[in-house]
Amino acid sequence: MKKSIIALACGAFAYGAAEFMMMGVLPQAARDMRVSIPSAGNFISAYAIGVCVGTLMLIFGRKAGPKKLIVMFMVIAFAGDLFSSLAPTATLLTIGRFISGLPHGAFFGTAALVAKTLAQPGKEAKTVSLSMTGQTVANMLGVPAATFIAEHFSWRFAFLILAGIAALTVVLVAAWIPHIAPVKDAGILGQFRFLTKLGPWFILIAVFTGNAGIFTWWSYVSPWLQKVGGYASGTVPLLMMLAGYAMVIGGLLGGHLTDHWRAAGTASLGQCFSVIGLVLVFFVPGNKLDTAVFTFIIAFALFFINTPQQLLMAEAGQGGGELIGGAAVQVAFNLGNAVGSAVGGGMLTISHMNYHFPALGGIPFALAATILLAVYSLRYETRTSAFERLQPVDV
């Protein structure tokens, strides 16, 4: 199991870095492609749109085993990252980012199922959070490293390294993940049967609004740290490392609390942190200390909510829709990213590039997510103890 989790974490690292490192290299990529910072936000949105479209692969891959699916997803990620590293124009870079994002949601939905299947009873959330640590470590080490490489060498080299990590993951998955039977074949429409219930929509809308709220500000975190915090561009990688450290802590604590309490309640608590952080970003004038603390708070909240939401949707899809349920979280997550990036760019434009205003645009979204998750928890969650959620296993 440990080797399987390492293989999944390596893949999560590749996707986590691909998704988030564009925020750290945005100024350099924009300058190289001769576009403005708000226009460069399309490089972020293109990845997010790819995630939404690519999840449809699971509909037609439902009969394949999870191991085969993960290998296929990593091959596509390799091709997209390599294409992005070589793209000569903004249009082609946008296409490369779209390709890279195609397997993202499908990967995390499948990886969550694999981790949940391999986990000991009562420790599902902890195991899923461990498999997802690659995504948080990507933010702690990968994104700062990419920002440093972009500052001192080229952002293209960062994407080339990312392609190499995707290739390495293919090897690790083939060697270390055991065969796991495909999910129950409920047919094409049967995979979506869980969406006829109201509960899953609470979660998906909360994921969408919550991430739209955070990414309205986070998409422009690198220039925000420089313009508001007064940090030199060469110092930004250290701030990205601080944010990544907060994500690691948030992800692990969120998984631990989910195993001992309510999943949606845990996610609602995390969204409260994001609302507080965004309010502070908008109202506090900002200096080096302030901006560092606010970055830590919001980054912590972003991944504190990740595992409970992923588990809620995987459980909602039981009976043939597990993969779609898990992937739907990533679709909502990245659709929120795309909308948030666009809203943040719009707030910058109407405020004449005042980097406090993207946070203002994100507050209503994050607040809506907090309320939706709280309502779901009060309405649907009755079993709060890990012991009560133990399932019998026949040997």
Side-chain angles (χ1 to χ4, degrees):
M1 184 186 75
K2 291 180 180 179
K3 287 185 176 181
S4 298
I5 298 303
I6 291 173
L8 293 175
C10 187
F13 181 96
Y15 283 106
E19 181 178 23
F20 287 99
M21 78 179 191
M22 181 54 75
M23 289 75 163
V25 306
L26 198 66
Q28 292 83 3
R31 183 173 62 247
D32 196 20
M33 293 299 172
R34 299 178 181 178
V35 296
S36 66
I37 290 291
S39 296
N42 291 330
F43 304 148
I44 300 170
S45 299
Y47 186 95
I49 294 170
V51 176
C52 300
V53 174
T55 301
L56 296 175
M57 291 187 292
L58 289 175
I59 298 174
F60 306 102
R62 65 187 187 280
K63 296 182 180 180
K67 180 175 180 176
K68 290 182 179 179
L69 289 173
I70 290 177
V71 169
M72 179 182 71
F73 300 150
M74 296 313 304
V75 169
I76 297 173
F78 166 80
D81 293 335
L82 183 62
F83 188 94
S84 296
S85 71
L86 302 173
T89 66
T91 299
L92 290 178
L93 177 57
T94 303
I95 293 173
R97 292 285 293 161
F98 176 81
I99 295 172
S100 296
L102 284 173
H104 180 113
F107 169 84
F108 280 104
T110 307
L113 175 66
V114 171
K116 188 172 181 288
T117 302
L118 297 175
Q120 296 176 8
K123 295 185 177 180
E124 292 88 352
K126 180 181 179 181
T127 305
V128 171
S129 67
L130 286 173
S131 70
M132 302 299 170
T133 51
Q135 194 176 17
T136 53
V137 170
N139 285 279
M140 184 172 68
L141 299 177
V143 174
T147 306
F148 179 84
I149 291 171
E151 181 70 23
H152 295 88
F153 301 98
S154 171
W155 60 270
R156 296 179 184 277
F157 187 51
F159 277 99
L160 191 61
I161 293 174
L162 204 55
I165 295 173
L168 172 63
T169 304
V170 172
V171 177
L172 296 182
V173 169
W176 287 351
I177 293 184
H179 171 75
I180 296 175
V183 299
K184 176 184 176 182
D185 185 6
I188 293 179
L189 294 180
Q191 295 179 89
F192 298 91
R193 189 173 295 119
F194 69 96
L195 292 177
T196 60
K197 301 176 183 178
L198 181 61
W201 287 103
F202 272 88
I203 302 302
L204 291 176
I205 296 173
V207 173
F208 165 74
T209 54
N211 284 280
I214 291 176
F215 274 82
T216 298
W217 164 77
W218 185 260
S219 298
Y220 306 95
V221 64
S222 181
W224 174 77
L225 287 168
Q226 297 175 54
K227 301 293 185 181
V228 176
Y231 287 98
S233 60
T235 311
V236 171
L238 296 178
L239 273 299
M240 292 295 96
M241 187 175 295
L242 175 68
Y245 181 65
M247 291 176 185
V248 172
I249 296 174
L252 294 176
L253 287 180
H256 179 76
L257 183 57
T258 300
D259 272 332
H260 293 83
W261 193 50
R262 303 172 179 231
T266 300
S268 182
L269 178 62
Q271 285 292 359
C272 283
F273 297 145
S274 69
V275 172
I276 293 170
L278 290 171
V279 168
L280 291 172
V281 168
F282 178 68
F283 283 104
V284 177
N287 54 40
K288 283 185 167 62
L289 178 60
D290 292 341
T291 51
V293 172
F294 301 161
T295 299
F296 186 94
I297 292 172
I298 300 176
F300 174 89
L302 182 62
F303 276 86
F304 187 86
I305 64 178
N306 191 35
T307 295
Q309 292 177 156
Q310 194 79 53
L311 272 179
L312 281 167
M313 289 305 299
E315 292 173 358
Q318 286 182 350
E322 292 91 341
L323 293 178
I324 295 295
V329 174
Q330 297 298 321
V331 172
F333 186 104
N334 282 274
L335 188 58
N337 295 359
V339 170
S341 178
V343 171
M347 295 298 287
L348 284 174
T349 300
I350 65 175
S351 66
H352 304 290
M353 303 305 287
N354 185 326
Y355 281 92
H356 290 281
F357 271 73
L360 177 63
I363 291 171
F365 288 103
L367 186 59
T370 304
I371 295 171
L372 284 168
L373 290 165
V375 170
Y376 179 95
S377 182
L378 293 172
R379 182 170 181 176
Y380 295 103
E381 292 186 313
T382 56
R383 295 184 301 166
T384 60
S385 137
F387 179 77
E388 290 174 338
R389 296 202 300 267
L390 289 176
Q391 300 295 322
V393 177
D394 294 325
V395 179

